[in-house]
Amino acid sequence: MQPAAQSTRSFRYHPHGFGYIPLKDCVSIPDWHQSVLSGERCRDSQQPWYAIPDFTDEIGDIKGIWELSRFDWLLGFAREVAEGDPDSLNKLQTWLESWVQENPPYLGPNWKCGQEASIRVMHLAMAAIVLEQVDQPEKALLELVAVHLKRIAPTIQYAIAQDNNHGTSEAAALFIGGSWLAKHGNSQGEVWQKKGRKWLENRARRLIENDGSFSQYSVNYHRVMLDTFSMVEVWRRALQLPEFSHRWDTRAAAATEWLRALLQPEGDVPNLGANDGARLLPLAARDYRDFRPSTQLASVLFCGRKAVAELGEWDAPLRLLGIQLPKALAPQPENAQFDNGGYVVMRKNHCFALFRYPRFRFRPGQADALHLDVWLDGRNILRDGGSFSYNTEEPWQSYFPGVEGHNTVQFDGRDQMPRLSRFLFGEWLKTQSFEPLTESAEGLSTLAGYRDYEGAFHTRKVILGDNRLSIEDDIGGFAKNAILRWRLEPGEWELNGCTASSTDVTVAVSSKSRVIRSEIVDGYESRYYGQKTKLPVFEIEVAEAGRLTTEITWNTI
């Protein structure tokens, strides 16, 4: 990876986050300090990293600056080289040299975050595997890795204190980068490698529950963590380093099975939990919302079997990273209870349902208690709102992570928990009533309930039969009103009293209390970070305590 002649082609960030993008027709080198979200340029490119704020009126969300400096393009170019396009190596070298020149060590926004520096280290290492440069890297490349580790190591305690993917990413970078430097004679590399290994073991033990649930209660952040662990294991094997502990392997395998349990036939997953649009290791030419590449790689590495039977683009990371695809195939996902994290997965015939209840050992990112996500043959019929943006104006700053963004009940116009800051809720909910997943003649069933900080209570029972899903919501303790929301699949829905119907799905609500409002209103969802689109929301409002019963039926296919 050495500098080459300046390219005259251009690169355009893809707003839908497709991961690997063919780069053969790219023209000029990107502006490394221009936001891909707002289009504005950061004027603090020569300021020390610690003097630059995360959010400003000038550029908005700093994530828009960081995106191009995660080196996704590096993996794209490396793949094209590996597949027979030598010109892409010149482009890779040119872009990398440009980045180094425009981002002197520790100055500017791209040095502000230790996790962002860590993602670059991981992607540099994976590109080196693809290009077969691990054993004989250029001196300048190892120097670049060392510069990054000098940024990461002093602040890793801050990352660890967050109890999220910052700690896993930074530990992984120290382990990967440190072992690479140690392999080529850098004694400091051995120190970084040991520190990285120590924190990787620690993070797996603390942040991943026995059932595979992750501390962030988010499907996408779960993928970020799992991709990080996969890169660590790929690198460990490439350098023939000692294995991690049995506990580390067991937790990684459990986290893999957790994600596999939520995977839909076409690769999508419920849009559950905070989601900043992050995706690591984008070697597969698949949409950002296709979780098969990550699940397949982790399943092969940690479970010794394929998660996806059919051959496809999701196998590209395995092929490019030199991991053999095994013959063994994981069994079909089954019904599952992940009680450590507060999830129930129910599958029956055409229907998949994910039920969320509060088991908060770590800080919750969204007010999604008793949310229900429902899928029919891969179609997301009842859906989560997503996150949209971490830096936006009201009402969106509260709408997406709040109770309105989920399929549950809202009391007296307030959130389920009081918001203390941009990323922090207070008065964390606790599950007070609970019935684990069971199966009987009426179908699969589970129940959970809570009482909030002002005394309102909500208990939800979910029953999944052959062609019917029943939801019983017992509510009370509120002062003025309660609103039950079902966030519907975009499309044509008709309202008839307390029943909403599409061509093949019916959602009928009955109540023992007087219904004061039944209507379909405009709501919003964000399937990709920074983008929001409309969807219909079926709202039922009552003013008295009682039971709301929802019957969802569908035409069999």
Side-chain angles (χ1 to χ4, degrees), residues 1 11 18-26 68 70-93 95 123-124 126-128 130-131 279-286 313 316 319-321:
M1 302 180 195
F11 174 81
F18 277 88
Y20 163 76
I21 308 167
L23 299 173
K24 294 179 181 178
D25 297 326
C26 292
L68 290 173
R70 289 188 162 189
F71 289 4
D72 289 9
W73 49 267
L74 184 78
L75 293 168
F77 282 137
R79 173 173 174 169
E80 290 175 357
V81 174
E83 293 178 347
D85 179 15
D87 290 342
S88 290
L89 183 59
N90 291 332
K91 298 172 192 174
L92 181 156
Q93 293 167 341
W95 285 35
H123 284 170
L124 282 167
M126 295 303 106
V130 174
L131 297 172
R279 183 188 178 188
L280 306 187
L281 195 61
L283 280 170
R286 298 299 304 170
E313 180 63 20
R319 181 182 72 252
L320 292 163
L321 296 172

Coordinates of all heavy atoms in Angstrom, one line a residue, residues 1 11 18-26 68 70-93 95 123-124 126-128 130-131 279-286 313 316 319-321:
M1 N 0.8 -1.2 0.0 CA 0.0 0.0 0.0 C 0.9 1.2 0.0 O 1.0 1.9 1.0 CB -0.9 0.0 1.2 CG -1.8 -1.2 1.3 SD -2.9 -1.1 2.8 CE -3.5 -2.7 2.9
F11 N -15.4 9.7 -6.1 CA -16.1 8.7 -5.2 C -17.3 9.4 -4.7 O -17.3 10.5 -4.2 CB -15.2 8.3 -4.1 CG -15.8 7.5 -3.0 CD1 -15.9 6.1 -3.2 CD2 -16.3 8.0 -1.9 CE1 -16.6 5.3 -2.3 CE2 -16.9 7.2 -0.9 CZ -17.0 5.9 -1.1
F18 N -24.7 0.7 1.2 CA -24.7 -0.6 0.6 C -23.5 -1.4 1.0 O -23.3 -2.5 0.5 CB -24.8 -0.5 -0.9 CG -26.2 -0.3 -1.4 CD1 -26.7 0.9 -1.6 CD2 -26.9 -1.4 -1.8 CE1 -28.0 1.1 -2.0 CE2 -28.2 -1.2 -2.2 CZ -28.8 0.0 -2.3
G19 N -22.6 -0.8 1.8 CA -21.4 -1.6 2.1 C -20.4 -1.5 1.0 O -20.0 -0.4 0.5
Y20 N -19.9 -2.7 0.5 CA -19.0 -2.7 -0.6 C -19.7 -2.1 -1.8 O -20.8 -2.5 -2.2 CB -18.5 -4.1 -0.9 CG -17.9 -4.3 -2.3 CD1 -16.6 -3.8 -2.5 CD2 -18.6 -4.8 -3.3 CE1 -16.1 -3.9 -3.8 CE2 -18.1 -4.9 -4.6 CZ -16.8 -4.5 -4.8 OH -16.3 -4.6 -6.0
I21 N -19.1 -1.2 -2.5 CA -19.6 -0.5 -3.7 C -18.5 -0.7 -4.8 O -17.3 -0.3 -4.5 CB -19.9 1.0 -3.5 CG1 -20.7 1.2 -2.2 CG2 -20.5 1.6 -4.7 CD1 -20.8 2.6 -1.8
P22 N -18.8 -1.2 -6.0 CA -17.8 -1.2 -7.0 C -17.2 0.2 -7.3 O -17.9 1.1 -7.4 CB -18.6 -1.7 -8.2 CG -19.7 -2.5 -7.6 CD -20.1 -1.8 -6.4
L23 N -15.9 0.3 -7.2 CA -15.3 1.6 -7.3 C -14.5 1.8 -8.6 O -13.8 2.8 -8.7 CB -14.3 1.7 -6.1 CG -14.9 1.6 -4.7 CD1 -13.8 1.5 -3.7 CD2 -15.8 2.8 -4.4
K24 N -14.7 1.0 -9.6 CA -13.9 1.1 -10.8 C -14.1 2.4 -11.5 O -13.2 2.9 -12.2 CB -14.3 -0.1 -11.7 CG -13.9 -1.5 -11.2 CD -14.3 -2.6 -12.2 CE -14.0 -3.9 -11.6 NZ -14.4 -5.0 -12.5
D25 N -15.2 3.0 -11.4 CA -15.5 4.2 -12.1 C -15.4 5.5 -11.3 O -15.9 6.6 -11.6 CB -16.9 4.2 -12.7 CG -17.0 3.1 -13.8 OD1 -16.0 2.8 -14.5 OD2 -18.1 2.5 -13.9
C26 N -14.8 5.3 -10.1 CA -14.6 6.5 -9.2 C -13.7 7.5 -9.8 O -12.6 7.2 -10.4 CB -14.1 6.1 -7.9 SG -15.3 5.1 -7.0
L68 N -16.4 8.5 5.6 CA -15.4 8.2 4.6 C -14.0 7.8 5.2 O -13.2 7.1 4.6 CB -15.2 9.4 3.7 CG -16.3 9.7 2.7 CD1 -16.1 11.0 2.0 CD2 -16.6 8.5 1.8
R70 N -13.7 5.8 7.7 CA -13.7 4.4 8.2 C -13.0 3.4 7.3 O -12.9 2.2 7.6 CB -15.1 4.0 8.5 CG -15.8 4.7 9.6 CD -17.1 4.2 10.0 NE -17.5 4.6 11.4 CZ -18.5 4.2 12.1 NH1 -19.3 3.3 11.5 NH2 -18.7 4.6 13.3
F71 N -12.6 3.9 6.1 CA -11.9 3.1 5.1 C -12.7 2.0 4.5 O -12.1 0.9 4.1 CB -10.6 2.5 5.7 CG -9.5 3.6 6.0 CD1 -9.7 4.9 5.8 CD2 -8.3 3.2 6.5 CE1 -8.7 5.9 6.0 CE2 -7.3 4.1 6.7 CZ -7.5 5.5 6.5
D72 N -14.0 2.1 4.4 CA -14.8 1.2 3.7 C -14.3 1.0 2.2 O -14.2 -0.1 1.7 CB -16.3 1.6 3.6 CG -17.0 1.5 4.9 OD1 -16.3 1.2 6.0 OD2 -18.2 1.6 5.0
W73 N -13.9 2.1 1.6 CA -13.4 2.1 0.3 C -12.1 1.3 0.1 O -11.8 0.8 -0.9 CB -13.2 3.6 -0.2 CG -12.4 4.4 0.8 CD1 -12.9 5.2 1.7 CD2 -11.0 4.5 0.9 NE1 -11.9 5.8 2.5 CE2 -10.7 5.4 2.0 CE3 -9.9 3.9 0.2 CZ2 -9.4 5.7 2.4 CZ3 -8.6 4.2 0.6 CH2 -8.4 5.1 1.7
L74 N -11.3 1.3 1.2 CA -10.1 0.5 1.2 C -10.4 -1.0 0.9 O -9.7 -1.6 0.1 CB -9.4 0.7 2.5 CG -8.0 0.0 2.7 CD1 -6.9 0.8 2.0 CD2 -7.7 -0.2 4.2
L75 N -11.4 -1.5 1.6 CA -11.8 -2.9 1.4 C -12.4 -3.1 0.0 O -12.2 -4.1 -0.6 CB -12.9 -3.3 2.5 CG -12.3 -3.3 3.9 CD1 -13.4 -3.4 4.9 CD2 -11.3 -4.5 4.0
G76 N -13.1 -2.1 -0.5 CA -13.7 -2.2 -1.9 C -12.6 -2.3 -2.9 O -12.6 -3.1 -3.8
F77 N -11.6 -1.4 -2.8 CA -10.5 -1.4 -3.7 C -9.7 -2.8 -3.6 O -9.3 -3.4 -4.6 CB -9.5 -0.3 -3.4 CG -10.0 1.0 -4.0 CD1 -9.8 2.2 -3.2 CD2 -10.5 1.1 -5.3 CE1 -10.2 3.4 -3.7 CE2 -10.9 2.4 -5.8 CZ -10.8 3.5 -5.0
A78 N -9.5 -3.2 -2.3 CA -8.8 -4.5 -2.1 C -9.5 -5.6 -2.7 O -8.8 -6.5 -3.3 CB -8.6 -4.7 -0.6
R79 N -10.8 -5.7 -2.6 CA -11.5 -6.7 -3.3 C -11.4 -6.7 -4.8 O -11.2 -7.8 -5.4 CB -13.0 -6.6 -2.9 CG -13.9 -7.6 -3.7 CD -15.3 -7.7 -3.3 NE -16.1 -8.6 -4.1 CZ -17.3 -9.0 -3.9 NH1 -17.9 -8.6 -2.8 NH2 -17.9 -9.8 -4.8
E80 N -11.4 -5.5 -5.4 CA -11.3 -5.4 -6.8 C -9.9 -5.9 -7.3 O -9.7 -6.5 -8.3 CB -11.6 -4.0 -7.3 CG -13.1 -3.7 -7.1 CD -13.4 -2.2 -7.4 OE1 -12.5 -1.5 -7.7 OE2 -14.6 -1.9 -7.4
V81 N -8.9 -5.6 -6.5 CA -7.5 -6.0 -6.8 C -7.5 -7.6 -6.7 O -7.0 -8.2 -7.7 CB -6.5 -5.4 -5.8 CG1 -5.1 -6.1 -6.1 CG2 -6.4 -3.9 -6.0
A82 N -8.0 -8.1 -5.7 CA -8.0 -9.6 -5.5 C -8.8 -10.3 -6.6 O -8.5 -11.4 -7.0 CB -8.6 -10.0 -4.2
E83 N -9.8 -9.6 -7.2 CA -10.6 -10.2 -8.3 C -10.1 -9.8 -9.7 O -10.8 -10.0 -10.7 CB -12.0 -9.8 -8.1 CG -12.6 -10.4 -6.8 CD -14.1 -10.0 -6.6 OE1 -14.5 -9.0 -7.2 OE2 -14.7 -10.6 -5.7
G84 N -8.8 -9.3 -9.7 CA -8.2 -9.1 -11.0 C -8.1 -7.8 -11.6 O -7.9 -7.6 -12.8
D85 N -8.3 -6.7 -10.9 CA -8.3 -5.3 -11.4 C -7.1 -4.6 -10.8 O -7.1 -4.0 -9.7 CB -9.6 -4.6 -11.0 CG -9.5 -3.1 -11.6 OD1 -8.7 -2.8 -12.4 OD2 -10.3 -2.3 -11.1
P86 N -5.9 -4.7 -11.5 CA -4.7 -4.1 -10.9 C -4.8 -2.6 -10.8 O -4.1 -2.0 -9.9 CB -3.6 -4.5 -11.9 CG -4.3 -4.7 -13.2 CD -5.7 -5.3 -12.8
D87 N -5.6 -1.9 -11.6 CA -5.7 -0.4 -11.5 C -6.2 0.0 -10.1 O -5.9 1.1 -9.6 CB -6.6 0.1 -12.5 CG -6.0 0.0 -13.9 OD1 -4.8 -0.1 -14.0 OD2 -6.8 0.1 -14.9
S88 N -7.0 -0.9 -9.5 CA -7.6 -0.5 -8.2 C -6.5 -0.4 -7.1 O -6.7 0.3 -6.1 CB -8.7 -1.5 -7.8 OG -9.8 -1.4 -8.6
L89 N -5.4 -1.1 -7.3 CA -4.3 -1.0 -6.3 C -3.7 0.5 -6.3 O -3.4 1.0 -5.3 CB -3.2 -2.0 -6.6 CG -2.1 -2.0 -5.6 CD1 -2.6 -2.3 -4.2 CD2 -1.0 -3.0 -6.0
N90 N -3.6 1.0 -7.5 CA -3.1 2.4 -7.6 C -4.1 3.4 -7.0 O -3.7 4.3 -6.3 CB -2.9 2.8 -9.1 CG -1.8 2.0 -9.7 OD1 -0.8 1.7 -9.1 ND2 -1.8 1.9 -11.1
K91 N -5.4 3.2 -7.2 CA -6.4 4.0 -6.5 C -6.3 3.9 -5.0 O -6.4 4.9 -4.3 CB -7.8 3.7 -7.1 CG -7.9 3.9 -8.6 CD -9.3 3.3 -9.0 CE -9.4 3.3 -10.5 NZ -10.6 2.6 -11.0
L92 N -6.2 2.7 -4.5 CA -6.1 2.4 -3.1 C -4.9 3.2 -2.5 O -5.1 3.9 -1.5 CB -6.0 0.9 -2.8 CG -5.9 0.5 -1.4 CD1 -6.4 -1.0 -1.3 CD2 -4.5 0.5 -0.8
Q93 N -3.8 3.1 -3.2 CA -2.6 3.7 -2.7 C -2.7 5.2 -2.7 O -2.3 5.9 -1.8 CB -1.4 3.3 -3.5 CG -1.1 1.8 -3.3 CD -0.1 1.3 -4.4 OE1 0.1 1.9 -5.4 NE2 0.5 0.1 -4.1
W95 N -5.6 7.1 -2.6 CA -6.5 7.6 -1.6 C -5.9 7.5 -0.2 O -6.1 8.4 0.6 CB -7.8 6.7 -1.7 CG -8.7 7.0 -2.9 CD1 -8.3 7.4 -4.1 CD2 -10.1 7.0 -2.9 NE1 -9.4 7.6 -4.9 CE2 -10.5 7.3 -4.2 CE3 -11.0 6.7 -1.9 CZ2 -11.8 7.4 -4.6 CZ3 -12.4 6.7 -2.3 CH2 -12.8 7.1 -3.6
H123 N -9.8 -2.3 9.5 CA -10.0 -2.4 8.0 C -8.7 -2.4 7.3 O -8.5 -3.1 6.2 CB -10.9 -1.2 7.5 CG -12.3 -1.4 7.8 ND1 -13.3 -0.4 7.7 CD2 -13.0 -2.5 8.3 CE1 -14.5 -0.8 8.0 NE2 -14.3 -2.1 8.4
L124 N -7.7 -1.7 7.8 CA -6.3 -1.9 7.2 C -5.8 -3.3 7.3 O -5.3 -3.8 6.3 CB -5.3 -0.9 7.9 CG -5.4 0.6 7.6 CD1 -4.6 1.4 8.6 CD2 -4.8 0.8 6.2
M126 N -7.7 -6.1 7.6 CA -8.4 -7.0 6.8 C -8.1 -6.8 5.3 O -8.0 -7.8 4.5 CB -9.9 -6.8 7.0 CG -10.5 -7.1 8.3 SD -10.2 -8.8 8.9 CE -8.8 -8.5 10.1
A127 N -7.8 -5.6 4.9 CA -7.4 -5.3 3.5 C -6.0 -6.0 3.3 O -5.7 -6.5 2.2 CB -7.3 -3.8 3.2
A128 N -5.1 -6.0 4.3 CA -3.8 -6.6 4.1 C -4.0 -8.1 3.9 O -3.2 -8.7 3.2 CB -3.0 -6.3 5.3
V130 N -6.6 -9.6 2.5 CA -7.2 -9.7 1.1 C -6.0 -9.6 0.1 O -6.0 -10.3 -0.9 CB -8.3 -8.7 0.9 CG1 -8.7 -8.7 -0.6 CG2 -9.5 -9.0 1.8
L131 N -5.1 -8.6 0.3 CA -4.1 -8.3 -0.6 C -2.8 -9.2 -0.3 O -1.8 -9.0 -1.0 CB -3.7 -6.8 -0.5 CG -4.8 -5.9 -0.9 CD1 -4.4 -4.4 -0.6 CD2 -5.1 -6.0 -2.4
R279 N -21.7 0.0 9.9 CA -21.5 -1.4 9.4 C -20.0 -1.6 9.2 O -19.4 -0.8 8.4 CB -22.3 -1.6 8.1 CG -22.1 -3.1 7.6 CD -22.7 -3.3 6.3 NE -22.4 -4.7 5.9 CZ -22.7 -5.2 4.6 NH1 -23.2 -4.4 3.7 NH2 -22.5 -6.4 4.3
L280 N -19.4 -2.6 9.8 CA -18.0 -2.9 9.6 C -17.8 -4.0 8.6 O -18.7 -4.7 8.2 CB -17.4 -3.3 11.0 CG -17.6 -2.4 12.1 CD1 -16.8 -2.9 13.3 CD2 -17.3 -1.0 11.8
L281 N -16.6 -4.1 8.1 CA -16.2 -5.1 7.2 C -17.1 -5.3 5.9 O -17.6 -6.3 5.7 CB -16.1 -6.5 7.9 CG -15.3 -7.6 7.2 CD1 -13.9 -7.2 7.0 CD2 -15.4 -8.9 8.0
P282 N -17.3 -4.2 5.2 CA -18.2 -4.2 4.1 C -17.6 -4.8 2.8 O -17.4 -4.1 1.8 CB -18.6 -2.8 3.9 CG -17.4 -2.0 4.3 CD -16.8 -2.8 5.4
L283 N -17.3 -6.1 2.9 CA -16.7 -6.8 1.7 C -17.8 -7.4 0.8 O -17.5 -7.7 -0.4 CB -15.8 -7.9 2.2 CG -14.4 -7.5 2.7 CD1 -13.7 -8.7 3.4 CD2 -13.6 -7.0 1.5
A284 N -19.0 -7.6 1.3 CA -20.0 -8.2 0.4 C -20.9 -7.1 -0.2 O -21.2 -6.1 0.4 CB -20.9 -9.0 1.3
A285 N -21.2 -7.3 -1.5 CA -22.0 -6.3 -2.3 C -23.4 -6.5 -2.0 O -24.2 -7.0 -2.8 CB -21.7 -6.4 -3.7
R286 N -23.8 -6.2 -0.7 CA -25.2 -6.4 -0.3 C -25.6 -5.1 0.4 O -24.8 -4.3 0.9 CB -25.3 -7.5 0.7 CG -25.0 -8.9 0.1 CD -25.9 -9.3 -1.0 NE -27.3 -9.2 -0.7 CZ -28.3 -9.4 -1.5 NH1 -28.0 -9.4 -2.8 NH2 -29.5 -9.3 -1.1
E313 N -23.6 -14.0 -2.4 CA -22.7 -12.9 -2.1 C -22.3 -12.8 -0.6 O -21.3 -12.2 -0.3 CB -23.3 -11.6 -2.6 CG -22.5 -10.3 -2.4 CD -21.2 -10.3 -3.2 OE1 -21.1 -11.1 -4.1 OE2 -20.3 -9.6 -2.8
A316 N -18.9 -13.9 0.3 CA -17.7 -13.1 -0.2 C -16.7 -12.9 0.9 O -15.5 -13.0 0.7 CB -18.1 -11.9 -0.9
R319 N -14.5 -16.0 1.5 CA -13.6 -16.2 0.4 C -12.4 -15.3 0.4 O -11.3 -15.7 0.3 CB -14.4 -16.1 -0.9 CG -13.6 -16.5 -2.2 CD -14.3 -16.3 -3.4 NE -14.6 -14.9 -3.8 CZ -15.8 -14.3 -3.7 NH1 -16.8 -15.0 -3.2 NH2 -15.9 -13.0 -4.0
L320 N -12.7 -14.0 0.5 CA -11.7 -13.0 0.4 C -10.7 -13.0 1.6 O -9.5 -12.7 1.5 CB -12.3 -11.6 0.3 CG -13.0 -11.3 -1.0 CD1 -14.0 -10.1 -0.8 CD2 -12.1 -11.1 -2.1
L321 N -11.2 -13.5 2.8 CA -10.4 -13.5 4.0 C -9.7 -14.9 4.2 O -9.1 -15.1 5.2 CB -11.2 -13.1 5.2 CG -11.7 -11.7 5.2 CD1 -12.7 -11.5 6.3 CD2 -10.5 -10.7 5.3

